[in-house]
Amino acid sequence: MKIIKRIGWFIKEERFSYAMGILSLGIIAALNLIPPRIIGNVIDEIVAGELTKANLLKYLLIFLAVGIVVYILRYAWRMFIFGTSFRLERKMRLSLFKHYTRMSPEFYQKYRIGELMAHATNDIRAIQRVAGAGVLQFADSILTGTSVLIAMFFTINFRLTLLALLPMPFMIIGAQKLSKKLHDSFFIAQGAFSDMNNRVHESISGIKVMKAFGHEKGEIERFDRVTDDVYHKYMKVSFYDVLFEPLFILVIMISYVIILWFGILLIQSGEITTGLLGTFISYVHQLMWPMMAIGFLMNTIERGNASFDRIEKIMDETESVQNYNKKEYDLPHGDLNFNIESFKYPSDAAPALDNINFSLKSGETLGIVGKTGSGKSTLLKLLLREYDDYTGTITYGGEDIKSYNLHALREVMGYVPQDNFLFSMSIEDNIKFGNPDASLEMVKKAAEIADVHGDIEKFEQGYATLMGEKGISLSGGQRQRVSIARALLLNPQLLILDDSLSAVDAKTEEKILKGLKENRQGETTIISAHRLSALKHADLIIVLDGGQIIESGTHTSLMQSDGWYAMIYKQQEYEKGDTEDGNIDA
């Protein structure tokens, strides 16, 4: 009953609903004893030739009354027990989702999306069944089983009752062994289901690449192998699952043989009547459900335990980035100072950043350049506090960024990542994502600065245009500019563009940068880019290579030093000139 302790807080919280549901089940169990007794009386009166129309009508009316009351009570316990269990499912799913939102990027490198989805669907549903079907099976097996046994023992014949119970220990032993097998196989099957979820998510996300390479057949074959593995693992679960019912039926059949054999002897000896034996057999038939319910309960509990083990493993994961100052909500403002001695990702041996030292005054623009993999995005991730385990400090307004409330720190930042993500809703709602109360005029102004307003106006539905998953209905450049507009709508003190202009042409880039300069006077901006022309007007430019700063200064000073920056800038300007003249080979 480990799972009962795990969800005990919820059962205690909903004790009234469960009490009313169990009370309904108790009354039903008592009422169900009446029809077999009436049948026994009718049989005895028929045998004795004493059955009258009045008695028969009376019995039929009692049958009808019992049926109506049981019907109402069955509706009641379903609402009280099953309805309550769905509230547990909702609470657990919400709690799990909140946990997902608190987790750091390191968590999502460890667990794949398909696996996390399986926890939020199949595993939580298995736990919900414990709070619903499990409570029903537990309460009904005890209430119905106890009431039937009492009726058999005290109103018919106690010796016949004891004889009928002789095969029951074999059922209990068999059910325990099957439950252990079921738990192990279900845990393995749920893991296989998670793997299949991962494969589905990956395949659908990469469908364009798959079709471009003509690899549909190979992907179908690979998915067939994955689903075949899931099928066989769940078939093993089903194998142990379906053995419960035959076990109970076998035990009940053995009980019937014993009852008929000794029941006839008792009738011959005059200890019971024919009607009482008929009533006794009806009671044994009613006892069949509590016996099966015990097996179903073990089945439900083992599935719930296996799923709770999987969810507990996820819920035990802690954030690698802690919010150390939850009480105060002071918004940071002022100069930025980076003094990072070293930082490496948890899975890497070599440091991603080493000896990073520079300052950026409030209202200035910082440009970050370097080769792919030089550490540009890593530097911004540390500023955003996606990772905290670095040696050194980053201060904002003279205070270590770790001393600020995490949400307050991120509130003053507008971030546009490399892999910009748009939601499956309208363009307007995507831009308003960080500020849902913004007016349409504010949305349009942000879009104008991002130079995407004209594109949006050309759509038939304008800003109400619905986008597909991840903004698939827009081009790469349009997605980037909508993402920039979303960040600009926040009017952040610190705007961070992480290579966010890579999908736009040079002319569009220039218009966006000009708009930023005009509308963000006095605000701090950080731009990471490969196209160096985007950074000409930056107050400070740093050049990264292998996680270290190899050059820093303004555009003019860096050009005069004739280093890496000057070499790449001249090369890009030469290529730009050739492109404009139409001299680039096709």
Side-chain angles (χ1 to χ4, degrees):
M1 292 293 180
K2 184 180 177 183
I3 186 68
I4 302 300
K5 292 181 180 179
R6 287 168 155 178
I7 63 171
W9 62 271
F10 178 77
I11 295 175
K12 185 178 180 181
E13 184 179 294
E14 299 286 348
R15 54 185 176 275
F16 175 77
S17 294
Y18 279 118
M20 295 303 295
I22 291 171
L23 177 62
S24 300
L25 289 171
I27 297 173
I28 291 171
L31 291 174
N32 281 338
L33 297 175
I34 297 175
R37 189 69 188 190
I38 291 175
I39 292 172
N41 291 342
V42 169
I43 292 173
D44 284 340
E45 289 184 19
I46 291 174
V47 171
E50 299 174 353
L51 182 63
T52 64
K53 289 183 178 180
N55 281 349
L56 181 60
L57 180 61
K58 178 183 71 174
Y59 292 145
L60 291 175
L61 289 174
I62 294 174
F63 257 107
L64 181 61
V66 168
I68 292 172
V69 175
V70 168
Y71 175 84
I72 295 170
L73 291 175
R74 285 188 185 279
Y75 173 81
W77 74 249
R78 279 176 169 81
M79 292 301 296
F80 282 122
I81 295 178
F82 286 169
T84 300
S85 71
F86 290 128
R87 288 199 287 274
L88 173 64
E89 181 180 4
R90 177 185 174 276
K91 286 187 176 184
M92 289 200 68
R93 189 165 286 131
L94 181 60
S95 177
L96 186 63
F97 183 77
K98 286 181 178 178
H99 185 71
Y100 287 166
T101 62
R102 289 195 299 267
M103 290 296 99
S104 309
E106 188 178 336
F107 172 84
Y108 293 98
Q109 292 173 354
K110 183 177 180 181
Y111 297 98
R112 300 174 68 183
I113 292 175
E115 182 178 358
L116 299 178
M117 289 172 62
H119 291 314
T121 51
N122 272 22
D123 285 326
I124 286 182
R125 182 56 58 85
I127 297 169
Q128 176 267 327
R129 281 186 57 79
V130 176
V135 171
L136 163 68
Q137 292 155 0
F138 176 74
D140 207 21
S141 62
I142 291 176
L143 294 172
T144 301
T146 302
S147 61
V148 170
L149 286 173
I150 290 173
M152 291 165 64
F153 196 88
F154 291 105
T155 66
I156 299 180
N157 189 280
F158 74 93
R159 285 182 296 173
L160 189 60
T161 302
L162 292 175
L163 288 170
L165 295 177
L166 281 178
M168 299 307 170
F170 297 101
M171 181 204 69
I172 296 171
I173 294 170
Q176 287 178 338
K177 291 184 179 297
L178 287 176
S179 294
K180 179 64 172 64
K181 295 284 188 182
L182 183 68
H183 177 277
D184 296 341
S185 59
F186 187 70
F187 190 90
I188 294 170
Q190 288 290 76
F193 182 80
S194 294
D195 292 339
M196 184 184 71
N197 261 13
N198 286 326
R199 171 54 51 199
V200 172
H201 179 269
E202 190 175 84
S203 297
I204 294 176
S205 298
I207 193 75
K208 286 186 176 180
V209 176
M210 183 205 310
K211 294 176 82 67
F213 280 84
H215 196 59
E216 296 94 330
K217 185 178 179 180
E219 191 65 22
I220 291 170
E221 291 174 353
R222 185 161 61 162
F223 187 69
D224 180 60
R225 290 193 295 270
V226 172
T227 53
D228 189 59
D229 179 58
V230 173
Y231 167 77
H232 283 102
K233 285 183 169 64
Y234 271 105
M235 281 301 293
K236 191 172 183 180
V237 173
S238 298
F239 172 75
Y240 294 118
D241 193 1
V242 299
L243 285 177
F244 278 97
E245 189 170 346
L247 172 66
F248 303 138
I249 291 176
L250 176 62
V251 170
I252 292 295
M253 290 301 106
I254 294 173
S255 292
Y256 277 147
V257 171
I258 295 172
I259 291 165
L260 289 172
W261 181 271
F262 288 98
I264 292 172
L265 294 177
L266 291 174
I267 291 173
Q268 291 174 345
S269 66
E271 292 188 43
I272 62 173
T273 64
T274 304
L276 283 177
L277 180 60
T279 299
F280 192 87
I281 292 173
S282 295
Y283 284 157
V284 172
H285 185 74
Q286 284 190 13
L287 200 61
M288 188 174 181
W289 159 242
M291 300 294 180
M292 293 175 64
I294 292 172
F296 295 149
L297 175 64
M298 291 180 179
N299 183 337
T300 302
I301 284 175
E302 292 308 328
R303 286 174 179 250
N305 270 326
S307 291
F308 211 108
D309 288 342
R310 284 162 48 81
I311 288 182
E312 199 171 52
K313 180 183 175 184
I314 292 292
M315 296 298 286
D316 285 342
E317 294 280 352
T318 57
E319 308 99 302
S320 58
V321 175
Q322 297 289 331
N323 190 1
Y324 299 109
N325 187 0
K326 294 182 179 180
K327 295 182 179 180
E328 299 179 10
Y329 206 84
D330 297 329
L331 298 178
H333 182 75
D335 300 344
L336 276 170
N337 289 281
F338 286 76
N339 183 21
I340 301 171
E341 296 176 21
S342 179
F343 167 74
K344 68 176 182 178
Y345 288 103
S347 58
D348 293 347
L353 293 175
D354 188 30
N355 196 27
I356 303 294
N357 293 281
F358 67 90
S359 297
L360 184 69
K361 292 182 179 180
S362 178
E364 291 186 339
T365 298
L366 169 68
I368 307 175
V369 297
K371 295 183 290 187
T372 301
S374 59
K376 301 187 296 298
S377 295
T378 300
L379 185 64
L380 299 178
K381 288 177 181 178
L382 298 190
L383 176 59
L384 290 160
R385 286 198 64 196
E386 291 188 10
Y387 295 91
D388 267 356
D389 50 343
Y390 55 87
T391 306
T393 59
I394 302 175
T395 62
Y396 196 165
E399 297 288 337
D400 192 320
I401 60 172
K402 295 179 185 178
S403 66
Y404 289 106
N405 183 297
L406 183 59
H407 304 295
L409 175 69
R410 290 175 178 169
E411 183 178 321
V412 301
M413 299 181 183
Y415 176 50
V416 185
Q418 288 180 346
D419 50 342
N420 45 81
F421 185 93
L422 299 179
F423 297 90
S424 300
M425 48 191 182
S426 71
I427 295 176
E428 180 184 355
D429 288 335
N430 265 283
I431 296 176
K432 289 168 60 175
F433 181 74
N435 184 11
D437 298 325
S439 65
L440 181 58
E441 290 305 313
M442 295 169 65
V443 170
K444 289 182 177 180
K445 183 179 178 181
E448 286 172 356
I449 299 172
D451 195 38
V452 72
H453 174 71
D455 291 17
I456 297 172
E457 288 290 300
K458 292 176 183 177
F459 296 139
E460 185 177 346
Q461 294 179 306
Y463 283 86
T465 301
L466 293 175
M467 295 186 291
E469 187 177 7
K470 298 181 181 179
I472 196 170
S473 58
L474 301 182
S475 69
Q478 288 171 334
R479 286 198 296 270
Q480 280 194 336
R481 285 177 283 160
V482 169
S483 298
I484 293 171
R486 179 168 58 192
L488 290 173
L489 186 65
L490 299 173
N491 192 25
Q493 292 181 24
L494 174 58
L495 177 64
I496 302 172
L497 304 179
D498 186 6
D499 200 19
S500 306
L501 301 170
S502 58
V504 300
D505 56 73
K507 187 176 179 180
T508 302
E509 174 190 79
E510 190 174 340
K511 289 177 67 177
I512 294 172
L513 293 172
K514 183 180 178 181
L516 290 176
K517 188 175 181 180
E518 292 175 354
N519 289 273
R520 287 190 53 79
Q521 292 184 8
E523 303 290 358
T524 308
T525 304
I526 299 177
I527 304 174
S528 167
H530 284 95
R531 194 181 293 146
L532 304 190
S533 59
L535 308 174
K536 286 193 299 183
H537 302 294
D539 298 287
L540 173 65
I541 300 171
I542 60 173
V543 182
L544 295 177
D545 186 25
Q548 295 182 325
I549 297 177
I550 58 172
E551 294 181 70
S552 66
T554 63
H555 172 74
T556 303
S557 64
L558 289 173
M559 291 299 294
Q560 290 174 352
S561 66
D562 204 27
W564 183 90
Y565 179 90
M567 179 185 69
I568 298 300
Y569 183 83
K570 291 174 184 177
Q571 180 180 328
Q572 289 181 355
E573 287 298 299
Y574 175 76
E575 291 173 352
K576 178 181 175 182
D578 277 356
T579 303
E580 290 174 351
D581 294 338
N583 294 330
I584 296 295
D585 293 335

